[in-house]
Amino acid sequence: MSTIAMPAPDQAILNRKEEVVAALRAALPAELVISDPAETHAYECDALTAYRCPPLAVVLPRTTAEVAAAMTVCHAHGIPVVPRGAGTSLAGGALPTADSVIISTLRLRGYLEIDTDNRFIRVQTGVTNLSVSGELDPHGFFYAPDPSSQLACTIAGNIAMNSGGAHCLKYGVTTNNLMGATVVLTTGEVIELGGTEMGPEGLDLLGLICGSEGQLGIVTEAVLRILPKPEGARPVLIGYDSAEVAGECVAKIIRSGVIPVAIEYMDDVVVRAVEDFVHAGYPTCTAVLIVEVEGSPDEIDHQIALIREIADTLNPVEFREARNGDEAMAIWKGRKSAFGAMGRINDYMCLDGTVPVSQLPYTLRRIGELSKEHGLEVGNVFHAGDGNMHPLILFNANTPGDLERAEAFGADILRLCVEVGGCLTGEHGVGVEKRDLMTVQYTDDDLSIQMAVKDVFDPDWLLNPAKVFPLQSSAAHRSAEAR
Amino acid sequence: MTVQDEMLAPASEQELSEVIAEAHARRTPIGIFGGGTRIEGRSPEWLTLSTARLSGVVTYEPGEMTLIVRPGTSVSEIEEMLARENQSLAFEPADLRGVLGGNGTPTIGGVVAANDSGPRRLRVGACRDHLLGVRFVDGQGRILKNGGRVMKNVTGLDLGKVMCGSFGTLGVLTEVVMKTLPAARATETLALPGLSVAQAVEVFSVALATPYDIAGAAWRDGTAYLRIEGLDRQVPYRSEKLRAMFRNREIDQIDAEGTRALWRSLRELDHFAGTAAPLWRLMVRPTDAGAITGRLAALGGAFSLDWGGGLIWYCGPGSGTQLRAALPSGHATLIRRGGAEGPAFTPPPPVVARLSDQLRRTFDPARILNPGLMDA
Ligand SMILES: Cc1cc2nc3c(=O)[nH]c(=O)nc-3n(C[C@H](O)[C@H](O)[C@H](O)COP(=O)(O)OP(=O)(O)OC[C@H]3O[C@@H](n4cnc5c(N)ncnc54)[C@H](O)[C@@H]3O)c2cc1C
Ligand SMILES: Cc1cc2nc3c(=O)[nH]c(=O)nc-3n(C[C@H](O)[C@H](O)[C@H](O)COP(=O)(O)OP(=O)(O)OC[C@H]3O[C@@H](n4cnc5c(N)ncnc54)[C@H](O)[C@@H]3O)c2cc1C
């Protein structure tokens, strides 16, 4: 059994299932409402698969107006609503409760406007991340945030989680690339935040919505900033025998003034797993860095020369430069298959804490020690330029007690991240997974103001229940409100 | 106005918290002053609070691109410190004293509270995109924090975003964490004279569709300016490519030194120094700039462009209602009163106004912080 508690469903709501479904079918074309358990079953979990629960019903609206209609019905009936994109959340952000209605973005798939003169694209939020760049490709533009899940995940999920990606060192995360959004509030009211201009007027509600994990409203349309495609990109691979030295190399590159688009780090556990899996030809050493730079061929040569100069002062085990597209692919091949390679060894749990770059070596060492204490193996693969770590804890889901041990180990790692000046989650979000650890990073007052902000948007707390805020904190907050 | 006179200047977060808690209990309005370089007045019955003694750098880690600093620290002091490490606040906050008057020194707290961003905002994002974390005291005197000191952080709601640009109406910042970026090693400007606004925006749209990382696109007095930045070898290469693209237009090249002076002058609005009329900041869809400036010209004032046409500065007559009616997209903010009446900020639509108002009550239940400012 897993250890994260979800509240018991409201029996009164479960009893009213037929009434609620009928009301939804009256407000929307009936085929957009799914209530047969055989079908709602497909929505029982996201990528945090240890937690599952089918919802009461699922609604698949095609327009903002249909989302608003569904929200209005749920609001009138006091039914919790769980927004859902592609369900790739690693934090259980899209996990339903039995008494909730899922509002899915599956059919919000329109590309509404591409404007390269003003450098934006307007989409319905159910489109996948990768397809946005696909749509822009013929125009010579792309959408920068690129989570590894980009083939499947939606813009809606990206906005809700403020997702990042390998290239955010240079281009920023979702919030830095989001210009506007259409948001449906719990009441069914529709608001437009931001737009096609370059800054908000008044309080930056758009900035608040981004990363709010479906707690404040449902985002149905978005205006995204688009960028011209770079002339080219090329990675180098640098191997070191110590995590400290690799960390130093990262800091020195950053200080040099070269801003690579990505600096990725893999430790020996991951490198070995990758080698067994795809034979990427990585050196067997403690730390492998992949650094990618962009520009014209000449600019790339110049930047790589600068990086080489820095790397060489630290005696690398290997410095491998991609001379052509095939060699570039070979360098990235291992990194891209890292999660899959670890998955071949065992089940894994992927963490997402961020630490200050200077604390990377210490954090890695402590993770190694914790691994021994908990008796579970861990591999590290992460975005080193910004200190966003992804420790992968290996465990066996079929061994009783293993998941709990992995969760305890994970919690220790996240506490460590906060202790060294970092945070619980760099890009995956809190969801249910890190909900109860929020008190490690925030005081009661810090959490209380966040919950008071939720009150403003969702006074009845119908949106995405039992996520983000520790159950105890939210219960205390809400009973204080009621008094 | 000299800032420190007759002002309360708490020396610590704790002291500030006590002052605000008391003001909250007594419902005493508080005017918050950083450098006090802004224009809106204050009434005599307010408590005036200066952040002057909440100053100093907490930590600066160039290898992590992070700076933790207290709000009363002057922007120029920060910029000098970063420059010694070849870094900068890439969003390029402007010193608008030339047009706003005032004899204080702009502070980082004021910059964050106003979400001030200069020409490079076009490429690197606004102040809010470079704000990693905040500590602040809310309208009840509670000491709160949000975000942190790391570059990637999605833990809980992002309150830093609403604090940034809230002009002190939600709380008093006591510490801000900024992302710093390497300063460009080389720079150059291409000047294209003899262009109308519409022509300039066309040039901008073409240049900004190239991968040459244009780090400034502004227009003033009939000349369009494109700023190029990068590593030593990138700049001549990019310059050459761009000049080839616009080869049938007249182009002047401005060297690094000239470039630095020019963009300082552009961002500090030198061209409006010494004027007294209302000064407006309009954020619009760039390709609308031609039509909008046509309407502004009809009102009788002068204008310049930044952000590839996305930002129009307008200095001249006209009411807020007239100006806002001239905008097919975006909004207009009054930066200097100059006798203009009515709200400085574009009033939001009703539901957004309601949410904003409730948010303000959440942070500041007695509505004592900068009352009147940002009101709908
Ligand atoms: C293999 C793998 C690799 C990954 N790599 C990365 C990575 O590199 N970087 C990264 O940041 N993440 C990564 N993720 C995590 C995940 O893909 C992202 O969080 C993604 O943005 C989720 O999108 P989704 O469409 O799947 O959303 P879902 O999982 O369906 O939902 C995510 C959250 O968004 C909310 N939500 C959904 N739709 C809406 C809406 N319309 N309005 C409001 N809220 C809504 C949900 O309630 C939920 O809280 C990875 C996941 C996997 C499985
Ligand atoms: C409506 C408006 C729009 C502006 N837009 C721009 C712009 O686009 N670009 C630009 O360069 N300049 C802009 N300015 C000018 C800008 O205010 C100053 O350039 C900058 O803030 C200077 O800092 P200061 O320390 O003098 O701030 P001050 O003038 O002292 O304060 C500016 C604002 O921030 C608040 N404030 C100051 N310190 C704190 C703190 N620690 N915590 C909370 N609130 C605080 C003040 O109450 C005030 O509302 C604008 C000013 C106004 C009034």
Side-chain angles (χ1 to χ4, degrees):
Chain A
M1 256 315 290
S2 41
T3 52
I4 301 168
M6 289 299 278
D10 183 338
Q11 191 58 46
I13 293 179
L14 300 183
N15 295 342
R16 278 158 53 215
K17 173 172 175 176
E18 274 173 37
E19 183 196 331
V20 174
V21 169
L24 285 168
R25 290 211 167 112
L28 295 156
E31 73 273 15
L32 302 183
V33 183
I34 298 174
S35 64
D36 180 345
E39 287 179 79
T40 56
H41 187 69
Y43 296 85
E44 66 175 1
C45 70
D46 55 23
L48 186 71
T49 51
Y51 297 87
R52 291 166 193 268
C53 173
L56 194 73
V58 178
V59 185
L60 302 163
R62 298 160 304 187
T63 61
T64 300
E66 287 176 354
V67 171
M71 285 284 259
T72 307
V73 169
C74 291
H75 186 249
H77 287 76
I79 312 294
V81 169
V82 176
R84 182 183 174 99
T88 67
S89 169
L90 289 163
L95 173 71
T97 53
D99 56 4
S100 68
V101 167
I102 282 190
I103 297 187
S104 161
T105 61
L106 198 69
R107 295 196 185 162
L108 287 166
R109 294 265 177 152
Y111 300 92
L112 307 174
E113 190 181 359
I114 292 180
D115 184 338
T116 53
D117 281 344
N118 292 301
R119 299 167 294 282
F120 70 82
I121 182 170
R122 205 155 57 80
V123 297
Q124 285 189 311
T125 54
V127 299
T128 64
N129 175 292
L130 191 62
S131 75
V132 173
S133 283
E135 205 68 17
L136 292 167
D137 194 67
H139 303 271
F141 280 76
F142 74 111
Y143 174 61
D146 59 341
S148 324
S149 51
Q150 67 181 161
L151 189 62
C153 68
T154 63
I155 294 299
N158 294 173
I159 293 172
M161 292 313 202
N162 188 14
S163 301
H167 293 81
C168 59
L169 188 59
K170 178 165 180 196
Y171 297 116
V173 295
T174 303
T175 192
N176 313 115
N177 294 278
L178 178 67
M179 299 171 69
T182 304
V183 182
V184 179
L185 302 175
T186 43
T187 50
E189 290 164 302
V190 178
I191 56 173
E192 302 283 342
L193 300 174
T196 57
E197 66 277 1
M198 261 177 272
E201 177 82 320
L203 296 181
D204 186 0
L205 302 188
L206 181 66
L208 192 55
I209 291 283
C210 191
S212 66
E213 304 199 18
Q215 290 292 318
L216 306 183
I218 296 198
V219 185
T220 56
E221 289 178 17
V223 181
L224 308 173
R225 177 172 87 121
I226 61 175
L227 296 171
K229 282 193 292 184
E231 288 161 281
R234 217 187 302 151
V236 296
L237 178 151
I238 317 170
Y240 284 109
D241 261 335
S242 109
E244 265 88 357
V245 176
E248 198 181 330
C249 182
V250 171
K252 283 195 162 164
I253 291 173
I254 288 173
R255 288 188 68 152
S256 75
V258 180
I259 303 190
V261 278
I263 307 182
E264 298 288 300
Y265 182 116
M266 278 169 283
D267 72 3
D268 47 350
V269 175
V270 173
V271 167
R272 255 182 279 124
V274 160
E275 277 309 302
D276 290 347
F277 185 29
V278 294
H279 315 290
Y282 286 177
T284 42
C285 54
T286 312
V288 167
L289 296 175
I290 297 176
V291 184
E292 180 157 277
V293 293
E294 284 180 353
S296 68
D298 189 46
E299 288 172 336
I300 289 176
D301 286 343
H302 178 50
Q303 294 176 74
I304 289 181
L306 291 172
I307 291 170
R308 168 136 223 173
E309 220 172 274
I310 294 163
D312 280 350
T313 60
L314 299 167
N315 296 318
V317 174
E318 181 166 351
F319 187 99
R320 186 186 306 169
E321 196 176 316
R323 280 160 307 182
N324 54 47
D326 287 343
E327 289 184 8
M329 281 222 309
I331 287 181
W332 273 114
K333 186 175 174 191
R335 169 63 183 89
K336 293 208 161 144
S337 56
F339 285 33
M342 292 293 282
R344 281 174 74 233
I345 304 178
N346 217 331
D347 297 308
Y348 67 79
M349 194 163 134
C350 174
L351 303 180
D352 175 46
T354 308
V355 301
V357 176
S358 60
Q359 298 291 329
L360 279 172
Y362 169 77
T363 311
L364 287 168
R365 204 164 54 234
R366 275 295 296 150
I367 290 176
E369 289 164 13
L370 287 167
S371 158
K372 293 203 184 78
E373 283 169 34
H374 287 273
L376 290 173
E377 206 180 359
V378 65
N380 287 286
V381 46
F382 56 91
H383 316 300
D386 42 38
N388 186 191
M389 307 192 67
H390 289 317
L392 301 172
I393 300 176
L394 293 171
F395 70 102
N396 186 339
N398 296 321
T399 307
D402 239 29
L403 173 64
E404 288 73 10
R405 275 163 60 211
E407 287 184 343
F409 181 12
D412 278 351
I413 292 178
L414 294 182
R415 281 191 201 96
L416 169 66
C417 290
V418 175
E419 202 179 286
V420 300
C423 66
L424 297 173
T425 171
E427 58 181 15
H428 294 168
V430 178
V432 295
E433 189 206 12
K434 285 158 276 225
R435 184 190 70 196
D436 296 317
L437 286 169
M438 285 287 274
T439 49
V440 175
Q441 190 174 328
Y442 289 117
T443 65
D444 287 350
D445 278 349
D446 294 339
L447 284 176
S448 149
I449 188 96
Q450 292 185 33
M451 291 187 285
V453 168
K454 176 167 170 74
D455 290 338
V456 168
F457 286 83
D458 179 18
D460 303 322
W461 282 58
L462 291 178
L463 269 174
N464 221 1
K467 316 270 169 72
V468 184
F469 303 110
L471 293 185
Q472 264 192 325
S473 310
S474 56
H477 173 81
R478 299 201 63 212
S479 67
E481 298 268 287
R483 262 186 274 120
Chain B
M1 178 187 61
T2 51
V3 179
Q4 263 85 312
D5 295 354
E6 16 121 12
M7 281 200 184
L8 229 51
S12 70
E13 197 174 54
Q14 189 55 43
E15 226 178 285
L16 174 69
S17 144
E18 285 159 21
V19 170
I20 297 187
E22 190 178 327
H24 168 72
R26 294 168 187 261
R27 303 276 186 277
T28 314
I30 303 179
I32 303 153
F33 290 79
T37 55
R38 65 171 179 162
I39 35 93
E40 297 280 11
R42 55 182 163 125
S43 38
E45 64 270 25
W46 289 12
L47 203 63
T48 50
L49 199 145
S50 160
T51 61
R53 294 170 70 198
L54 294 167
S55 66
V57 170
V58 180
T59 45
Y60 171 40
E61 294 279 353
E64 290 173 4
M65 304 196 283
T66 45
L67 165 72
I68 308 181
V69 65
R70 296 196 191 92
T73 316
S74 85
V75 177
S76 55
E77 182 190 329
I78 292 171
E79 281 173 342
E80 280 161 28
M81 182 182 73
L82 302 195
R84 285 195 290 274
E85 300 289 341
N86 293 316
Q87 291 194 340
S88 71
L89 296 173
F91 58 92
E92 229 180 355
D95 182 346
L96 291 185
R97 272 178 294 182
V99 286
L100 296 183
N103 49 15
T105 342
T107 63
I108 188 72
V111 164
V112 171
N115 189 19
D116 287 352
S117 320
R120 207 183 285 104
R121 184 260 172 272
L122 179 64
R123 187 164 77 80
V124 300
C127 174
R128 54 91 94 176
D129 296 300
H130 296 253
L131 178 67
L132 302 175
V134 290
R135 290 180 67 88
F136 63 99
V137 177
D138 75 358
Q140 300 183 60
R142 289 189 299 183
I143 297 172
L144 302 168
K145 68 168 181 303
N146 193 263
R149 60 172 282 203
V150 286
M151 221 119 43
K152 271 168 84 187
N153 187 346
V154 296
T155 321
L157 296 182
D158 192 351
L159 303 185
K161 290 287 182 302
V162 261
M163 289 302 294
C164 190
S166 67
F167 288 88
T169 60
L170 301 180
V172 181
L173 296 161
T174 53
E175 200 172 281
V176 291
V177 188
M178 308 303 302
K179 171 171 164 182
T180 60
L181 282 178
R185 291 199 184 186
T187 184
E188 177 183 316
T189 299
L190 302 181
L192 292 83
L195 299 188
S196 69
V197 166
Q199 288 169 323
V201 172
E202 261 173 49
V203 165
F204 295 152
S205 293
V206 171
L208 290 166
T210 68
Y212 307 134
D213 283 348
I214 304 293
W219 175 94
R220 168 167 86 181
D221 295 335
T223 300
Y225 300 98
L226 290 171
R227 179 169 58 178
I228 309 164
E229 288 182 348
L231 300 169
D232 307 318
R233 273 165 54 190
Q234 279 175 321
V235 170
Y237 166 77
R238 291 172 171 177
S239 167
E240 192 189 313
K241 287 275 184 187
L242 286 161
R243 278 180 284 128
M245 289 178 85
F246 299 113
R247 65 179 157 266
N248 40 21
R249 296 188 186 275
E250 185 187 339
I251 302 182
D252 299 319
Q253 276 173 274
I254 301 173
D255 67 6
E257 200 178 322
T259 291
R260 275 185 274 273
L262 170 69
W263 289 88
R264 174 170 292 276
S265 156
L266 284 166
R267 85 172 175 264
E268 294 184 354
L269 305 180
D270 275 358
H271 42 294
F272 295 136
T275 57
L279 178 64
W280 292 87
R281 183 187 65 190
L282 282 56
M283 289 193 198
V284 304
R285 192 186 294 205
T287 51
D288 289 340
I292 293 168
T293 51
R295 286 168 215 155
L296 296 176
L299 285 175
F303 44 81
S304 63
L305 306 186
D306 202 342
W307 301 356
L311 173 65
I312 303 173
W313 293 101
Y314 172 71
C315 179
S319 69
T321 318
Q322 282 173 312
L323 266 127
R324 288 168 184 136
L327 303 183
S329 61
H331 44 77
T333 314
L334 184 61
I335 300 294
R336 181 178 69 193
R337 279 246 165 245
E341 288 177 4
F345 294 85
T346 306
V351 180
V352 175
R354 187 188 78 213
L355 293 171
S356 303
D357 188 66
Q358 285 172 358
L359 271 181
R360 234 171 125 171
R361 286 191 187 286
T362 299
F363 284 78
D364 174 21
R367 287 298 278 260
I368 53 170
L369 301 175
N370 281 342
L373 198 65
M374 277 190 117
D375 278 358

